[in-house]
Amino acid sequence: QVQLVESGGGLVQAGGSLRLSCAASGGTSISMGWFRQAPGKEREFVAGIRWSVTLTYYAESVKGRFAISRDNAKNTIYLQMNRLQPEDTAVYYCATADSLDRLRIGTIDYWGQGTQVTVSS
């Protein structure tokens, strides 16, 4: 049973930055990444990374602004979010899957509890 512990959410003004962290324990996963869900909207894929090799995938809406990375020694992934916009306001969820493609389409093995990101104008 994998457990995912998230941190780093908060309130920031438009144009600012936040860095989310997700520490995994209880096992290993092939791929990890981030989803987000805004009030009244469906949950959507944000970014994913393959654990053992450098391979990443981003939603079109965040390309050039967000960057996903990993720290193998800490079994942790990060989401660096720059030039944040009000449209980025959502609960952000860490997730695992057994391939990057399955992660991207939402075939998830484990979810984190979510962390709130709020971007004000």
Side-chain angles (χ1 to χ4, degrees):
Q1 187 84 9
V2 173
Q3 292 183 329
L4 305 173
V5 180
E6 300 161 318
S7 62
L11 175 64
V12 65
Q13 290 186 332
S17 299
L18 285 173
R19 189 193 193 201
L20 305 183
S21 300
C22 176
S25 62
T28 58
S29 300
I30 300 298
S31 297
M32 295 180 64
W34 299 90
F35 286 72
R36 67 186 182 185
Q37 187 168 25
K41 296 184 178 180
E42 296 181 350
R43 189 172 299 186
E44 64 175 344
F45 172 79
V46 177
I49 186 167
R50 185 179 174 90
W51 193 254
S52 60
V53 300
T54 304
L55 184 64
T56 59
Y57 199 94
Y58 295 93
E60 191 68 28
S61 60
V62 306
K63 286 182 179 178
R65 298 190 298 119
F66 292 9
I68 188 170
S69 61
R70 68 181 189 272
D71 186 327
N72 293 46
K74 297 180 179 180
N75 206 29
T76 299
I77 64 165
Y78 306 92
L79 185 67
Q80 179 66 46
M81 304 184 293
N82 299 321
R83 301 190 302 279
L84 283 162
Q85 305 167 7
E87 294 76 28
D88 297 316
T89 295
V91 177
Y92 284 70
Y93 297 90
C94 184
T96 72
D98 60 7
S99 77
L100 192 56
D101 283 341
R102 289 171 68 84
L103 180 76
R104 179 176 57 83
I105 66 174
T107 305
I108 303 302
D109 293 326
Y110 297 98
W111 291 100
Q113 78 285 356
T115 184
Q116 178 71 47
V117 172
T118 302
V119 184
S120 62
S121 300

